Amino acid sequence: MEAYNQVGIQRRLRRFFRRDGRALIFAMDHGFEHGPTDFEGTWEHINPNVVLKKVIRAGIDGIMTLPGIARIAGKQFHGKDVGLMVKLTSKTNLRPKEDQFLQTPLGFVEDAIKLGADAVAATVYWGSPYEDVMMKNFAEVASIAHDFGYPVVQFSYPRGPYINEKYGKKEDYRVVMYGARAAAEMGADMIKTYWTGSKETFAKVVDAASGVPVLLSGGAKAENPLEFLNVVYNVIEAGGSGAVVGRNIFQRENPEPMIRALLRVIHKNEEPEEAAKAEGLL
Amino acid sequence: MEAYNQVGIQRRLRRFFRRDGRALIFAMDHGFEHGPTDFEGTWEHINPNVVLKKVIRAGIDGIMTLPGIARIAGKQFHGKDVGLMVKLTSKTNLRPKEDQFLQTPLGFVEDAIKLGADAVAATVYWGSPYEDVMMKNFAEVASIAHDFGYPVVQFSYPRGPYINEKYGKKEDYRVVMYGARAAAEMGADMIKTYWTGSKETFAKVVDAASGVPVLLSGGAKAENPLEFLNVVYNVIEAGGSGAVVGRNIFQRENPEPMIRALLRVIHKNEEPEEAAKAEGLL
Amino acid sequence: MEAYNQVGIQRRLRRFFRRDGRALIFAMDHGFEHGPTDFEGTWEHINPNVVLKKVIRAGIDGIMTLPGIARIAGKQFHGKDVGLMVKLTSKTNLRPKEDQFLQTPLGFVEDAIKLGADAVAATVYWGSPYEDVMMKNFAEVASIAHDFGYPVVQFSYPRGPYINEKYGKKEDYRVVMYGARAAAEMGADMIKTYWTGSKETFAKVVDAASGVPVLLSGGAKAENPLEFLNVVYNVIEAGGSGAVVGRNIFQRENPEPMIRALLRVIHKNEEPEEAAKAEGLL
Amino acid sequence: MEAYNQVGIQRRLRRFFRRDGRALIFAMDHGFEHGPTDFEGTWEHINPNVVLKKVIRAGIDGIMTLPGIARIAGKQFHGKDVGLMVKLTSKTNLRPKEDQFLQTPLGFVEDAIKLGADAVAATVYWGSPYEDVMMKNFAEVASIAHDFGYPVVQFSYPRGPYINEKYGKKEDYRVVMYGARAAAEMGADMIKTYWTGSKETFAKVVDAASGVPVLLSGGAKAENPLEFLNVVYNVIEAGGSGAVVGRNIFQRENPEPMIRALLRVIHKNEEPEEAAKAEGLL
Amino acid sequence: MEAYNQVGIQRRLRRFFRRDGRALIFAMDHGFEHGPTDFEGTWEHINPNVVLKKVIRAGIDGIMTLPGIARIAGKQFHGKDVGLMVKLTSKTNLRPKEDQFLQTPLGFVEDAIKLGADAVAATVYWGSPYEDVMMKNFAEVASIAHDFGYPVVQFSYPRGPYINEKYGKKEDYRVVMYGARAAAEMGADMIKTYWTGSKETFAKVVDAASGVPVLLSGGAKAENPLEFLNVVYNVIEAGGSGAVVGRNIFQRENPEPMIRALLRVIHKNEEPEEAAKAEGLL
């Protein structure tokens, strides 16, 4: 017999993951973490109602955003079959450099429940001088969310002055793998992390997560669409469960072909070139 | 700007109501309120997994059930576009006659949240000697549920020795209307109540609810399908928002044609006869 | 991914149920519910340390008892592979006749956790004038226990003046089935109930429970061992998950052969006569 | 159907905003943030009863002040159609320079409720070394206030040693826009921020806020009235929702003509010169 | 008469300790504390289900792991006679060097209860600049766990810049003994600590613990099996209560012979060479 919250966690996870256990999630927290300048090239997307309408129409599986955006654009979700993941921590890039290795709570699990969310998320910068603070905060968020039957997503990002010093870059697979493992050992239900550069190394990240789904963090807009589709293709090949994509979507005037191409790669195992051509991206 | 829980209530209401503001909801709380004998004629439906699979496949908009059933059949809901309404009160018909005018809590708002529900429900027997107890309980349920962004449904049923004495029957439109009004005045987001016998009288119930959606309580299995489709048709004509139907669905070996016919009447305004014929019920 | 309490519930259920999903549990709450006279014939068993030592040595799967007994005889459990089920409600048979249809809390979920229990239990007398009180109490016990990862057992007993009036006897399969169903719809993880007199009727009780394990309540000491083994055999044949047995065990000077015979019937599907002979009971 | 707190938030917002969605709010928190020397030139205004009586008589839409002032001058509000916004954070300019980038709670949401307020406000200095502390505090204030049906105002001010270093000045539209966006993404119901120097740049701030009303922070007393009226005029032209004005009001012996001129610009779209002349300011 | 929680603590301790009061416990928290690279040589063990299945099959007495691992591999425990110790603090070795003298909560006592654990553990680095933080955290964990009847294990490790400075190494028996004593004085039910290099010195550690069982912390993989078996043999000779072993087990392709040899040494007092030979390690 299943616990009530176990039923809720499974039901809510399936609001993101299709039957194949994979998902494409749109990220819209850039206005906070990077500032509105991320939207300079496609300014109308600064309005979450505009960009979310396009993205949902294109068939995205889920949306990840901050509480205030979920409120402003709440009506975009009504009656739509799209998962809502509310992120509960952030930071600006205005704060002093050394404080940017810390993410701060900007809402609570209860806020996500009120908003009708299907999952909550919080960031841990592994290796940061503030690792201690974010780790404890994640533990608290996870405990409350799980009690209410909500899955918890860790944005598991190695980051901080010592990471670069010791490993050369934060995307080194040894530290990405480490962060993913730490997330799994803390009870995360999904892990979002960096691309490690190759299918082989990303497969080790997936191994380290020991069954907890690993999603790619989309990162900066790729120069050409094929480049990004290739990364996502390799994530899937490596056993990853999909991608959380922001700039590669909203920094395009018309994000819909890119979304549809990504859905082809993720859910139909189409080759990137084939998918890109089918959607007129090449 | 909207409150977070306001966003959640709207999002969750739309898990039941289609764009037309109407819904067909399947009720499965009879094992508790009437006993398993309600399933004698179609015994395989005693297993909630069996009946819910059929009902969801037929395209139902939502399911209303008790927490334990939502747990036992939780997997039927995974990845399906169907609203889940968890009822938090009930009674057996084993208890002494006079105690059957009371519904008792068998779960809490938090249980519904854990289960991944989209709404909670509780019964008030208006006119019962226990009206006081149920009224206060409904107020508490509503307060907690609303704070978490969950809509609250009142099963608003005039019932008790004094109702029959004064009005002849509990379905007299004057008492049904009264109950619906009381539900609206307490903050219900949906009202489920009896058929009052005519479109004209049901329209007064809808008026009394002053904008809170009113759904028909399906009641005992009608002798022929057309009879029940006619009632639902008149509910819609009267401004009602749909129906919550149990026995007219699960007491049929094959419930799917009936569900599809009901969906035609509710969402496409089809004439009952036309709908029944289209689904091979006549 | 599983919720933490889901893991605990599964782990703890397996402290009673073997791989075959069946269990034989010893009941020792008679000193409270019936009074110490139940021990008159085998007086040394009034000391829980004496009887529990024998019972555990015989290979019982679990023990059901009240908090104070679990304390007095706690050391019998140390290092033994036996599940501990703590019952949290009871009543004396000293109280006025009509109040004997009510069970009262005599401990809390937290007490069971402190005692190192693996499950909690509470009685509901379905049909009693106090049905309302016990139903609400069970809902509260279940909610707290589930949150802590503890399975909850309902002693689901139709009982009260109206049951006999309407159904002739409390063991009528229609009411036993009803009680089992009500337990399932409230979220019980195991159901303990009466023998309905035949394999066919007990199979309907099992059906009504829709997957929640149903265990036989052993009842008064049978005149000859075979009689009782036959009942248990039929419970298993009907799809039941075992038995909770008190008097048929502790009212025997040497309870071990009976326990071993019951284990044969339950876990090895042995014929009652064969099992009784193998243990020297015939 | 709307949540109860949703109704309260809307009702309370309209105590500030007229039908046109615009408001002129008088700010009186300078005695705390700047010290009483701000009142040197118009010393009788040090008494909040004196200045508030004038300001309310002139037709102001709302008052923003600290809890203690709301208490001392509470009677000015009795029976008056004027919104009361209670600010819950502040700092003195006595504290060490580097600590002035931090605002400290000096009251709680419950205090504002007790005072009969219509909204609460709190400051976040974006980019400050204490950004983390103020951000978390704002999140907590907002969560509590919204639950009680109170709108929340963020004084969203980029400030701190790194802002000047990186952007030249804290009024650079890129950082003002960033702060406004961050406020919106955290659930603010109104945003108060700096003038960015031009209608075009302020329009980007309004865009970034994505529908959350943006009000001008009045700042130091302008040399001539027209200058300040021009700024407010451009705020309105840029899509701003009004202004929160302190020194430009209370540092005038007779603040009423200025208030009336501002109301003309804000609510009647009058040209600044026209408005100033009509009120005898030129 | 015993308090309820006293019964639970004894019952749960015996899920680890056999009748002889000794235990061999497998440690699997290395993915978090050291990173997945600890598994490089035996990569399939990165999956906790793989390694735990082997380890439990070999007859281990208990498992010590982090909450997320207990969840991922929960099914390995079902129906198995093996104690589960959930560790509630950890740190990565990614964090800045000086922060590695701090362990951070990554779960709560309630999480361990939910998971069906039999004990909780937390680390204190005695002598660390963060001794204060961990000491207080341990006190809180112990208080809550004891109330619920759960035993508490202290990983009592002298560590930090001042330890090496003053004592030459952290394994100096004077500091190990001190740490063990401090653990005992705070109410630990088991103490896990370093090997001090000799039977004589370890006996002083055991003395200092004054009856609280002391277990060896296994440490890095020994070059040859005999070396490690000898250490464990001396721990037992010194009055120690067993060992918590990670790398010496999971860094072997086939960990079962090592486990069985350790069980011989611990529970049968076999000479290391004899035990190693019996299991084919020599």
Side-chain angles (χ1 to χ4, degrees), chain A residues 5-6 9-10 14-15 27 42 53 64 69 91 103 118 126 150 153 174 178 180 194 201 204 245 248 259-260 269 276:
Chain A
N5 53 340
Q6 172 69 3
I9 289 172
Q10 298 313 318
R14 283 297 305 278
R15 292 234 176 85
T42 51
K53 183 173 287 178
M64 180 279 287
I69 295 293
K91 58 140 187 43
Q103 288 224 350
D118 304 300
W126 296 105
Y150 279 73
V153 188
R174 291 167 302 168
Y178 196 157
Y194 307 134
T201 52
K204 297 206 77 168
V245 182
N248 275 291
I259 292 170
R260 288 192 307 257
N269 298 308

Side-chain angles (χ1 to χ4, degrees), chain A:
Chain A
M1 288 295 95
E2 303 205 315
Y4 288 175
N5 53 340
Q6 172 69 3
V7 177
I9 289 172
Q10 298 313 318
R11 175 159 158 82
R12 290 184 173 107
L13 279 172
R14 283 297 305 278
R15 292 234 176 85
F16 300 94
F17 292 115
R18 296 194 191 169
R19 209 170 197 137
D20 56 14
R22 298 179 190 158
L24 175 64
I25 295 169
F26 175 60
M28 203 189 182
D29 62 339
H30 301 72
F32 204 106
E33 286 205 31
H34 302 174
T37 44
D38 260 28
F39 295 90
E40 283 293 5
T42 51
W43 187 248
E44 69 163 2
H45 291 170
I46 193 74
N47 183 335
N49 281 290
V50 171
V51 67
L52 288 178
K53 183 173 287 178
K54 291 180 187 176
V55 161
I56 290 170
R57 194 170 51 203
I60 203 93
D61 296 317
I63 307 288
M64 180 279 287
T65 196
L66 301 182
I69 295 293
R71 174 176 72 150
I72 289 169
K75 63 180 167 295
Q76 303 305 326
F77 293 90
H78 298 345
K80 298 291 162 42
D81 183 19
V82 63
L84 171 57
M85 183 188 298
V86 170
K87 187 159 177 257
L88 298 175
T89 64
S90 196
K91 58 140 187 43
T92 68
N93 76 11
L94 299 173
R95 58 167 73 172
K97 207 91 203 159
E98 65 275 17
D99 291 354
Q100 299 199 18
F101 298 121
L102 170 67
Q103 288 224 350
T104 307
L106 50 42
F108 308 96
V109 174
E110 289 79 0
D111 290 331
I113 297 176
K114 289 172 194 170
L115 283 160
D118 304 300
V120 297
T123 294
V124 180
Y125 292 139
W126 296 105
S128 150
Y130 300 102
E131 183 188 289
D132 167 63
V133 177
M134 287 175 284
M135 187 175 148
K136 194 156 49 177
N137 180 60
F138 184 85
E140 288 167 2
V141 163
S143 177
I144 298 169
H146 285 153
D147 276 0
F148 279 116
Y150 279 73
V152 180
V153 188
Q154 186 174 116
F155 291 15
S156 172
Y157 296 156
R159 196 173 294 186
Y162 302 94
I163 295 293
N164 285 359
E165 220 170 79
K166 261 175 82 178
Y167 296 92
K169 56 177 177 179
K170 66 190 194 319
E171 296 87 358
D172 184 296
Y173 89 91
R174 291 167 302 168
V175 286
V176 173
M177 177 170 89
Y178 196 157
R181 178 69 176 198
E185 299 209 7
M186 289 186 75
D189 301 286
M190 293 190 219
I191 297 165
K192 175 178 177 250
T193 194
Y194 307 134
W195 174 233
T196 52
S198 72
K199 184 169 76 177
E200 290 68 29
T201 52
F202 204 81
K204 297 206 77 168
V205 176
V206 171
D207 280 355
S210 291
V212 181
V214 179
L215 293 116
L216 174 76
S217 176
K221 191 184 165 192
E223 288 201 24
N224 77 68
L226 203 52
E227 188 186 331
F228 184 62
L229 288 167
N230 262 319
V231 169
V232 173
Y233 182 81
N234 279 296
V235 162
I236 296 298
E237 288 283 300
S241 300
V244 183
V245 182
R247 284 165 285 174
N248 275 291
I249 288 176
F250 74 72
Q251 289 184 349
R252 298 175 160 276
E253 196 76 45
N254 178 9
E256 303 190 37
M258 181 47 126
I259 292 170
R260 288 192 307 257
L262 285 164
L263 290 170
R264 284 169 181 273
V265 169
I266 291 172
H267 293 299
K268 299 184 180 166
N269 298 308
E270 283 190 18
E271 300 275 341
E273 212 173 313
E274 183 189 348
K277 275 180 186 157
E279 297 300 339
L281 288 167
L282 289 188

Side-chain angles (χ1 to χ4, degrees), chain A residues 1-2 4 7, chain B residues 26-33 39 45-52 63-77 84-87 106 115, chain C residues 180-188 207-212:
Chain A
M1 288 295 95
E2 303 205 315
Y4 288 175
V7 177
Chain B
F26 175 60
M28 203 192 183
D29 62 339
H30 301 71
F32 204 106
E33 288 205 30
F39 295 90
H45 291 171
I46 193 75
N47 183 334
N49 282 288
V50 172
V51 66
L52 287 178
I63 307 288
M64 179 279 288
T65 195
L66 301 183
I69 295 293
R71 173 176 73 149
I72 289 169
K75 63 181 168 297
Q76 303 305 328
F77 293 90
L84 171 57
M85 184 188 296
V86 171
K87 187 159 176 257
L106 49 45
L115 284 160
Chain C
R181 178 68 175 198
E185 299 209 6
M186 288 187 74
D207 281 355
S210 293
V212 181

